[in-house]
Amino acid sequence: MIIMQFRNISTYTAVVFLILLSSGCKKFLDQVPDDRVTIEEVFQKKQASEEYLANVYSHIREQGNQWTVNPFSGNTDELDVTWAKYSTYQLNIGSWNPTSLPFDIWGEQYKGIRSATYFINHIDGNEEILRLNGQQRIDQYKAEARFVRAYCYFALLRQYGPIVILGNEELAPDAPTADFQIPRSSYDESVEYIAGQLDSAAAVLPTSPAEDRDYGRATKGAALALKARILLYAASPAFNGNADYANFKNQDGKSLISGAYDTEKWKRAADANKAVIDLNLYALYKHASGDPVESYRGILLDAYNGENIFSRRNNNLTDWDVHSMPRAAGGWCGMGATQEMVDAYFMKDGLPITESSLYSENGFTDDIYNMYVNREPRFYASVNYHNRMIQGGNIITARRLNFFNGGTDGRYEGTEDYSKTGYLVWKNVSPNTNRITGQWYNRPNVLIRLGEIYLNYAEALNEYDYNSNQTEILKYINLIRERAGIPQYGTGPDALPIPATQSEMRDKIRQERRIELAFESHRWFDIRRWKIARDVMKPVHGMNCNGKDASAFFVRTEVTPRQWRDAYMFYPLPQYEIDRGRLLVQNPGW
C-alpha cells in the first residue's frame, strides 16, 4: 500500500478490490454470490473504504525508476542510462511514435482518475466511519482522493499537453464508444480545473499528518505546492504567448494553447508559491553537523524531514541505489551522470567553471583529476568520479573508485554493467543498501520539497517584475546557496555581484535550479517549458570509458545521442486512443 499499513483483509474483499481496480464496473458487481460483499457494502465499512483509498493513491507514480518507468532524467542532459535494452535508449535515438510509445501513462492515469472519482462519489454516508470518526473524516478522505485525481491530471498535462477533463462523471471501460467522444480542453482550461480541484482539497486537508501512518498522504501544503508548480508551468514560455501552436486546435477550431502572453500568469504563480512558504510548515533541511554535503544528501535520505512537502511512501528507490552503485559496492554501475551535468556544478567560490579561476582540466591533486577539485558541495553529494574515496553497499572499508577500462568499477568486456560516461550518480543513493547481503534502506520518494518552491517563487517574481522584486528574489536564491555552502549574491563572505538585469537573473535562477533539483525529474519538463530543449537535446558526453590510463580516460567523449524534433515537446497520444476517441486531436508533429 502507498500510504497506510492495514490489517490483512479477507479474501472476498480482496477480490472486490481487484475487480474495482481492473474495471470499475458496477454491472458485474450487481450479481454477487452470498459470500461476497457488494460495492455498496464496501463503502459502508471503514477498513474497506480505506483500502480503496490506498489503491487510489497507488496511481501517483514514483520517480525512482528512470529506466523503465520514467524517462525524466535519462532522456535529458543529466543522466545516461547505460543499458540499450531499456526504453530510455529508444527515446534517445528517436525510435518512438503513437503506435510504439514507451513510458505511455495515458490509460493508467485515467484509471487513477476514474478510481478517485468513484471514491468521491460513493464514500458519503459510510456508516462505520460516521459512527467512529464523523463526517470530518469522510470529508478528509474525499479531499485526499480529489488531490490524487488532480495529481493524475497534472501528470497527463505535463507529459501530453491539453487533456480530456471528465469532472465527476464516471465512465466505465465497457461504456459505449459514443460515451468516449470528449474533446480535449485547452491548456489554460486544464490548468484552471486542476488548480480549482487543489484549492478545494486544500480547504479540507489537514496541515500535517495526525500520526506516523499518515505520512505520505495529502496535506494542505501538498495541495497548494502542486498548484504552485502547475501555475509556474502555465506561466512559462511554452504555454504563455507561444505562437508555435497557432494551428493546434480541436476539430471545432478551438485553440488548445493560447498565443497571447499574459504577465499576470507569473504574478499568480509567484503568489501561489509564496502561499506555500507562508504556511510556515516547512524549512530547508540542514544536517546537525552543519556539513553542506550531508545537508544536501539528507534532503532525500533523511525520511520525512521538514523540507519534505509530499512524497510517495512505497517506491523502488532501493533499485535506484543498486542501479547507481559501483560494481565493487554490489551495484550495477548503470546511472551515469553526464559530462554536461558535471560541468554545470559551480566551483566552491560559487562561480560556474567558465568564470572561476579555480577550475582546471590539467593535472592532478592527491590523485584526483583537477576537474573535480574545488567544486561546490552539491557536486560531491551528487556525483561519483574516478579515484574518489567511497564507502557503502558492499564496500565496508572506504576505497577509491576505478572507472578505467578494466578497473574494478569500469568497463569490462562481455558485460554492459559499466557507466559509459565514467561517472555514477550519488545523489539519493543510500550507502546502507547492500544487494549482496540483502540489506535495503527504504525511505520515501520525495516528489515536492521546499527547495523547489523557493526556486519556483524566485523564477516567477523575476519574470513578473525583476526591478521591483530584486530583494525578494535574492533572498530565496541565497537561502538555497547558503544551505549549499557557496557564496551568495550581494551578501555574506565572498559575496558575488548581484545580477544586473532580468536576463542575467533568469540565467542565474536556471543555473541554480539545474543543480539544486538535479536527478529529481525536473529537467525534462524545465527544458520544454523554457523552450530551450532544441539547444539542450544534443549528444551527451563523458570521460572515455575505453581508456585504460589517465591520458586516455580523461578525454571528453561523446557517449549517446539525444534526438530532438519539435514534436517531442509533447508525448503523442496513443494511437488507440485517437482511433476510439474520434473527437481527440493528435499532438503537433505526430
Side-chain angles (χ1 to χ4, degrees), residues 383-495:
V383 178
N384 278 326
Y385 48 87
H386 180 78
N387 253 7
R388 181 181 187 175
M389 294 293 291
I390 188 174
Q391 184 176 9
N394 210 43
I395 301 176
I396 307 305
T397 302
R399 45 143 290 202
R400 292 189 184 273
L401 296 172
N402 186 340
F403 289 120
F404 287 172
N405 187 352
T408 52
D409 310 295
R411 178 173 183 173
Y412 267 105
E413 297 300 328
T415 179
E416 288 189 295
D417 295 344
Y418 64 91
S419 168
K420 294 181 176 61
T421 68
Y423 303 103
L424 287 174
V425 177
W426 190 231
K427 184 176 181 179
N428 200 16
V429 176
S430 172
N432 295 319
T433 290
N434 188 332
R435 180 182 62 86
I436 305 300
T437 62
Q439 178 180 335
W440 311 104
Y441 180 69
N442 297 304
R443 68 270 188 196
N445 181 196
V446 179
L447 300 178
I448 309 176
R449 63 181 178 90
L450 186 63
E452 177 201 343
I453 299 300
Y454 282 1
L455 292 166
N456 292 351
Y457 181 50
E459 179 182 345
L461 282 180
N462 184 63
E463 298 300 333
Y464 179 63
D465 187 349
Y466 165 75
N467 292 325
S468 300
N469 295 307
Q470 184 185 100
T471 300
E472 189 81 345
I473 295 166
L474 289 172
K475 173 183 176 180
Y476 288 95
I477 293 296
N478 281 337
L479 284 170
I480 294 289
R481 291 175 71 89
E482 186 272 332
R483 193 259 301 276
I486 54 176
Q488 301 168 39
Y489 295 112
T491 186
D494 304 313

Side-chain angles (χ1 to χ4, degrees), residues 119-410:
F119 182 88
I120 292 168
N121 289 346
H122 291 269
I123 188 63
D124 276 321
N126 186 302
E127 294 178 357
E128 189 171 358
I129 296 179
L130 286 170
R131 184 172 65 254
L132 296 174
N133 304 108
Q135 185 64 39
Q136 182 275 334
R137 181 62 61 89
I138 289 179
D139 291 342
Q140 177 183 326
Y141 285 171
K142 288 174 67 176
E144 289 183 41
R146 196 176 302 279
F147 169 85
V148 174
R149 185 170 68 178
Y151 200 105
C152 290
Y153 274 124
F154 159 69
L156 291 166
L157 181 70
R158 67 177 182 171
Q159 189 162 330
Y160 298 93
I163 56 177
V164 175
I165 296 174
L166 301 178
N168 290 323
E169 185 178 1
E170 299 168 21
L171 285 179
D174 61 350
T177 302
D179 291 354
F180 290 96
Q181 306 313 308
I182 307 172
R184 301 172 76 169
S185 295
S186 71
Y187 190 92
D188 286 344
E189 288 171 340
S190 302
V191 168
E192 289 305 310
Y193 175 77
I194 300 171
Q197 291 292 295
L198 291 168
D199 280 338
S200 296
V204 177
L205 289 169
T207 56
S208 59
E211 51 186 305
D212 287 349
R213 74 169 193 165
D214 293 337
Y215 281 97
R217 297 173 66 165
T219 61
K220 179 185 184 73
L224 293 181
L226 181 58
K227 172 190 169 184
R229 182 191 291 181
I230 292 169
L231 293 181
L232 181 80
Y233 283 18
S236 300
F239 313 113
N240 188 5
N242 186 359
D244 295 347
Y245 292 113
N247 296 320
F248 185 20
K249 299 178 180 181
N250 275 338
Q251 293 177 16
D252 62 2
K254 176 181 178 177
S255 294
L256 292 178
I257 294 181
S258 173
Y261 178 77
D262 183 0
T263 188
E264 289 301 311
K265 288 183 176 181
W266 288 112
K267 176 64 163 58
R268 190 179 178 197
D271 290 345
N273 282 280
K274 189 60 162 59
V276 179
I277 296 170
D278 287 345
L279 291 173
N280 293 317
L281 296 172
Y282 312 103
L284 293 183
Y285 175 84
K286 295 182 180 179
H287 193 267
S289 67
D291 181 352
V293 173
E294 293 303 316
S295 290
Y296 189 64
R297 284 184 57 74
I299 296 168
L300 303 181
L301 293 177
D302 188 351
Y304 298 114
N305 63 71
E307 186 164 343
N308 183 338
I309 297 176
F310 182 65
S311 59
R312 195 180 194 273
R313 187 163 186 165
N314 276 15
N315 55 70
N316 60 359
L317 285 175
T318 54
D319 276 355
W320 169 257
D321 293 343
V322 173
H323 280 72
S324 302
M325 279 186 169
R327 193 163 41 244
W332 293 325
C333 274
M335 301 292 108
T338 66
Q339 189 65 50
E340 283 76 10
M341 192 64 234
V342 169
D343 291 344
Y345 287 97
F346 299 129
M347 303 300 292
K348 70 178 184 180
D349 60 8
L351 293 172
I353 63 172
T354 55
E355 300 176 19
S356 175
S357 62
L358 299 176
Y359 184 72
S360 173
E361 292 189 16
N362 297 308
F364 296 82
T365 300
D366 296 328
D367 295 324
I368 300 295
Y369 186 39
N370 279 333
M371 178 186 286
Y372 316 133
V373 176
N374 292 321
R375 303 301 291 268
E376 64 152 302
R378 287 176 296 189
F379 170 74
Y380 300 111
S382 303
V383 178
N384 278 326
Y385 48 87
H386 180 78
N387 253 7
R388 181 181 187 175
M389 294 293 291
I390 188 174
Q391 184 176 9
N394 210 43
I395 301 176
I396 307 305
T397 302
R399 45 143 290 202
R400 292 189 184 273
L401 296 172
N402 186 340
F403 289 120
F404 287 172
N405 187 352
T408 52
D409 310 295

